[in-house]
Amino acid sequence: MKIDGMEYEFPEGMNVLQACESIGIHIPHFCYHPALKVVGSCRMCKVEVIQNERKRIDISCNVMVQDGLEIITDSAPVRTARRMTLEFLLANHPLDCPICDDAGECELQNYYLAYGRNDSRMREVKRHRRKATEIGPSIMLDGERCVLCSRCARFVEEITRTRELGIFGMGSSEELMVNPGASLDNDYAGNVVDLCPVGALTDKDFRFKRRVWFLQSVPSICQLCSRGCNVRIDYDINPFHEHKRNINMRTHRSEATRYARIQRIKPRVNSDVNGYWICDRGRYGYRSTDAADRLLKALVRGENGLEESDVTKALKQIASGVSSAVGKGADRVAIVVSPRLTNEELFAVHRLFRERLDMPSMDHRIPVDPDWYGDDLLRTPDPFPNRTTCEWLGIIPADRGFGITELPDAIASGKVNTLISILADPRDYLDETAIRKLKRRYYILRQMPDDLREFTDVALPAAAWGEYRGTFTNFNGRLQRLEAAFEPLGDARPVWRLMTDLAPLLKKPLGLKSFDDVFAALTHKISLFADFTWRNIGDEGVMAIRNRQEVTA
Amino acid sequence: MQKKVTNITFNPGFKENIYYPEVFRGLWITNRHFFVNMWRHTLNLFGIRTKVRPAVTYQYPEDPRPAHYRLRGRHRLTEKQNGAMRCTACMLCETICPCDCIHIVPGESPDPHIEKFPEEFTIDLLRCCYCGFCVEACPVDAIRMDVTRTEMAGYTRDIILTKELLLGKVKAHPWENWIAEGVEEKAG
């Protein structure tokens, strides 16, 4: 078939809009979404279709590709048709762009600049609707801004199958609303905001927080379950906000979300992992990065309780404690590693404590929060993003070693007197009497709850999500990349850096200087990663297991 | 340690003495200005040659100099007729500001008819370059730069105008009150 005078071939079953997008011609549209059914309600994607020597203007989302079809995507009649459609859509639009959160990424604005550019000819009074209506715990609806594309209604109908939203009324009184008595509170409700091409559905969490043109973004991977959904971190580092946030974090021990650096999380499209969606847990689970209880300085127990110190001094204290414990047997030190660490961090921990120091008691199997649940769309039953690599590296107790389940007995009988807990709160797997009985309690933590301070001897600050680069391996064995959005707060640094700094103090240098060194050493260590470099992982990740099957076959 | 003192004796010779004619030349210029201005003022008094403007001395600050009507002075936030702020916190001024001196914290308005309003609106005057882009960018005529407000001196290095100052609820500087009182006394 022909598009704009050029011959192309497309597979059967594709519609003209998809075909045009696949060759890089953008067709304006509101209601069409590749993951949802076609309804053809917005009439914006009009193109000229020449079929059997006859010319007509038709919506491209509803015309299937076929032999002998000729499409003209940009001509005077097409532009006129689009402009007229847009004029009808804008007839009742409130034009409150200055206070609309979607301004800047609004399709109506973009298409108006591309096709409309006409003054309003509306003589009648604009139809008024409910503004700023709460339709769920996280979503606000503005009925006036809605263009009735029904993407959100189709989403709750087809993807989540919860059916909270519907379009009610007929003609000009048509209106999007939640079903009577319902509330848009499913686990994927936040996706309707991404679906909405205009500012009708906005995120209560992002409401009025920042205009979108101030945001910078960086691709990352969600760390809240083992699926590893591809997300985009939208952040804003403004000196004024930094200053305010520092004041907030010093004065209130509460969540400093208003001045947080991460402003919101948006999904990235990856058809092999998460499609177009992310769950609300991942969407609103970014607050820990800028939480007020972030550990910013190393803490060392001195004569007057815990004191802030510099990281080198704290590392020296850990090194002397560990070497004196190891002097009486390497199994006296228990190391608990959270599967929240990146591959590189896990690798550095493993290389130092298992390969160099040969410590048998090392485990990653932290009990899973009983409130956590998986579902059949995206959420997996495992809330840790990187358990696969823990298993591949072998972060499990060796012979004579103690796992997490045996740890309380081992502590009670005095076989273990030193605990190194990396990104894991020890109270998750030990009771308080056991922690009290330990002689040396060393933690590497991102957040330091106040009630953990009495159980701490040394605590080192670790970089939080968004502050480090790295890779995660998801439950399918897919290796995916995280990029750092900003610098770590305070003295915090990634765990692999703490390990490379700790190793020379234990007289076992790792020989790793930079992140690239760690990544290269990791790909040598795990044979499944042998073919991968930082660059060829790409933004969408690569399957490590399929790679192995090809190698072994 | 005793300080070393050197006495230099200065004997003006012919080269130095020839500055006396320059003194008289300076006096001549001063006098010329005086009489020319006097002459022009006198002519203006009778409505002759009004296009040539004679020099004037203003008794600043009691008697401020008349400013051009397009002068961009200190910022002011305007109010609606019911006293509510016009500003909707759309952040366009913050976006356009070339010196990053405007900072707005938007929030949900307590008034049910208004959705968004600025909880904080601060202008760092020492960063401001008075380009007036904020006034042009504003879609609701909420920020203006007044011709009359030109006194912006301060005793510290943080002349930061808050929302209350910009709305005129609080005077910007303590000496503004003093100036206002002085003017009233003079008028009364």
Side-chain angles (χ1 to χ4, degrees), chain A residues 41 146-154 165-170 173-179:
Chain A
S41 68
C146 181
V147 294
L148 296 166
C149 68
S150 80
R151 271 189 192 179
C152 48
R154 278 176 287 153
L165 290 165
I167 291 182
F168 299 93
M170 285 184 84
S173 65
E174 215 173 1
E175 184 179 20
L176 174 82
M177 212 48 227
V178 280
N179 286 334

Side-chain angles (χ1 to χ4, degrees), chain A residues 80-343:
Chain A
T80 315
R82 286 178 187 163
R83 200 186 71 230
M84 288 157 90
T85 308
L86 202 61
E87 198 176 352
F88 274 118
L89 287 175
L90 283 167
N92 281 311
H93 193 78
L95 294 179
D96 53 356
C97 305
I99 59 162
C100 177
D101 275 333
D102 212 49
E105 45 185 23
C106 172
E107 300 293 328
L108 264 181
Q109 284 183 333
N110 297 345
Y111 297 151
Y112 174 77
L113 286 177
Y115 298 101
R117 287 180 173 266
N118 51 309
D119 290 331
S120 177
R121 289 190 284 171
M122 186 84 170
R123 297 265 169 83
E124 294 77 18
V125 179
K126 285 195 180 193
R127 150 207 88 178
H128 285 288
R129 287 283 158 73
R130 270 175 281 195
K131 287 190 80 75
T133 324
E134 260 179 47
I135 57 166
S138 56
I139 309 292
M140 298 289 269
L141 168 70
D142 189 311
E144 288 186 346
R145 294 179 194 151
C146 181
V147 294
L148 296 166
C149 68
S150 80
R151 271 189 192 179
C152 48
R154 278 176 287 153
F155 174 76
V156 294
E157 171 92 26
E158 294 167 24
I159 309 292
T160 63
R161 299 176 185 286
T162 44
R163 301 186 177 83
E164 292 101 342
L165 290 165
I167 291 182
F168 299 93
M170 285 184 84
S172 77
S173 65
E174 215 173 1
E175 184 179 20
L176 174 82
M177 212 48 227
V178 280
N179 286 334
S183 161
L184 187 62
D185 57 356
N186 63 57
D187 281 339
Y188 294 87
N191 288 307
V192 298
V193 178
D194 303 338
L195 282 172
C196 188
V198 294
L201 292 163
T202 48
D203 208 327
K204 212 190 275 179
D205 179 64
F206 186 65
R207 188 169 165 80
F208 302 159
K209 216 198 239 172
R210 211 85 187 99
R211 301 317 296 263
V212 292
W213 52 82
F214 290 115
L215 302 176
Q216 295 163 279
S217 50
V218 80
S220 187
I221 303 298
C222 178
Q223 54 147 10
L224 291 170
C225 84
S226 61
R227 183 169 297 269
C229 292
N230 296 20
V231 296
R232 196 180 81 202
I233 302 178
D234 280 355
Y235 63 99
D236 178 31
I237 301 179
N238 176 326
F240 178 74
H241 284 241
E242 287 285 286
H243 173 69
K244 284 275 185 185
R245 186 169 48 75
N246 289 341
I247 293 172
N248 251 30
M249 283 176 80
R250 273 205 302 275
T251 51
H252 319 284
R253 301 285 292 175
S254 65
E255 283 188 326
T257 53
R258 158 150 275 164
Y259 303 108
R261 292 169 297 175
I262 299 185
Q263 299 284 327
R264 62 175 182 184
I265 303 297
K266 286 274 180 190
R268 278 189 293 136
V269 182
N270 188 341
S271 51
D272 295 332
V273 183
N274 56 322
Y276 295 83
W277 328 118
I278 52 172
C279 71
D280 279 6
R281 176 91 181 185
R283 187 179 295 267
Y284 305 123
Y286 60 85
R287 291 193 177 82
S288 59
T289 297
D290 287 306
D293 58 351
R294 270 294 295 279
L295 187 58
L296 301 178
K297 290 254 190 267
L299 298 174
V300 175
R301 185 164 295 282
E303 284 161 12
N304 318 317
L306 276 186
E307 292 163 0
E308 285 190 355
S309 79
D310 60 344
V311 175
T312 323
K313 198 180 147 202
L315 281 171
K316 273 181 188 152
Q317 179 119 356
I318 292 184
S320 68
V322 168
S323 41
S324 67
V326 168
K328 292 179 186 159
D331 57 346
R332 298 179 80 80
V333 185
I335 295 146
V336 176
V337 186
S338 162
R340 240 177 245 297
L341 271 68
T342 61
N343 290 342

Side-chain angles (χ1 to χ4, degrees), chain A residues 42-54:
Chain A
C42 71
R43 320 305 288 183
M44 195 62 202
C45 59
K46 282 171 184 161
V47 289
E48 252 179 296
V49 181
I50 303 170
Q51 198 173 16
N52 305 332
E53 315 256 317
R54 271 190 241 163

Side-chain angles (χ1 to χ4, degrees), chain B residues 2-178:
Chain B
Q2 202 183 355
K3 276 190 182 166
K4 217 175 180 179
V5 179
T6 319
N7 286 321
I8 300 170
T9 48
F10 178 64
N11 298 317
F14 172 75
K15 208 178 155 193
E16 282 76 24
N17 278 332
I18 57 168
Y19 90 98
Y20 283 110
E22 292 303 308
V23 170
F24 290 111
R25 209 155 79 97
L27 276 174
W28 162 244
I29 290 171
T30 313
N31 280 300
R32 192 187 69 196
H33 278 298
F34 174 73
F35 285 108
V36 165
N37 272 311
M38 187 87 155
W39 177 238
R40 286 182 182 166
H41 274 293
T42 319
L43 286 180
N44 277 10
L45 213 63
F46 296 108
I48 309 165
R49 287 187 72 182
T50 42
K51 275 185 185 171
V52 184
R53 292 177 62 195
V56 192
T57 304
Y58 292 101
Q59 295 302 317
Y60 186 83
E62 288 81 10
D63 182 11
R65 190 170 177 267
H68 190 260
Y69 71 101
R70 285 178 61 178
L71 183 125
R72 295 186 294 266
R74 205 182 63 213
H75 315 72
R76 173 167 70 94
L77 288 178
T78 56
E79 292 175 345
K80 293 180 200 161
Q81 284 183 335
N82 62 359
M85 278 182 84
R86 272 186 180 276
C87 178
T88 57
C90 71
M91 308 270 218
L92 286 185
C93 48
E94 184 170 341
T95 309
I96 196 100
C97 183
C99 1
D100 278 351
C101 71
I102 304 180
H103 296 293
I104 303 170
V105 178
E108 199 98 22
S109 171
D111 185 346
H113 301 293
I114 303 169
E115 264 188 65
K116 195 180 179 186
F117 90 119
E119 276 177 10
E120 287 176 28
F121 194 114
T122 46
I123 296 181
D124 189 344
L125 267 193
L126 291 192
R127 289 194 75 138
C128 180
C129 66
Y130 300 92
C131 60
F133 284 0
C134 48
V135 183
E136 293 200 23
C138 186
V140 290
D141 190 21
I143 187 165
R144 289 188 188 170
M145 292 171 95
D146 278 349
V147 175
T148 50
R149 312 230 169 169
T150 45
E151 282 103 22
M152 279 162 287
Y155 292 115
T156 55
R157 288 217 164 183
D158 50 342
I159 306 183
I160 291 170
L161 303 182
T162 59
K163 193 171 92 176
E164 287 73 28
L165 289 170
L166 287 162
L167 280 169
K169 301 254 162 75
V170 189
K171 282 282 176 200
H173 303 299
W175 56 92
E176 279 200 357
N177 282 323
W178 172 75

Side-chain angles (χ1 to χ4, degrees), chain A residues 498-518:
Chain A
L498 292 171
M499 290 301 133
T500 52
D501 288 352
L502 178 64
L505 301 173
L506 290 162
K507 305 208 167 46
K508 307 273 182 190
L510 296 182
L512 305 168
K513 284 204 182 70
S514 65
F515 177 81
D516 297 331
D517 288 355
V518 181

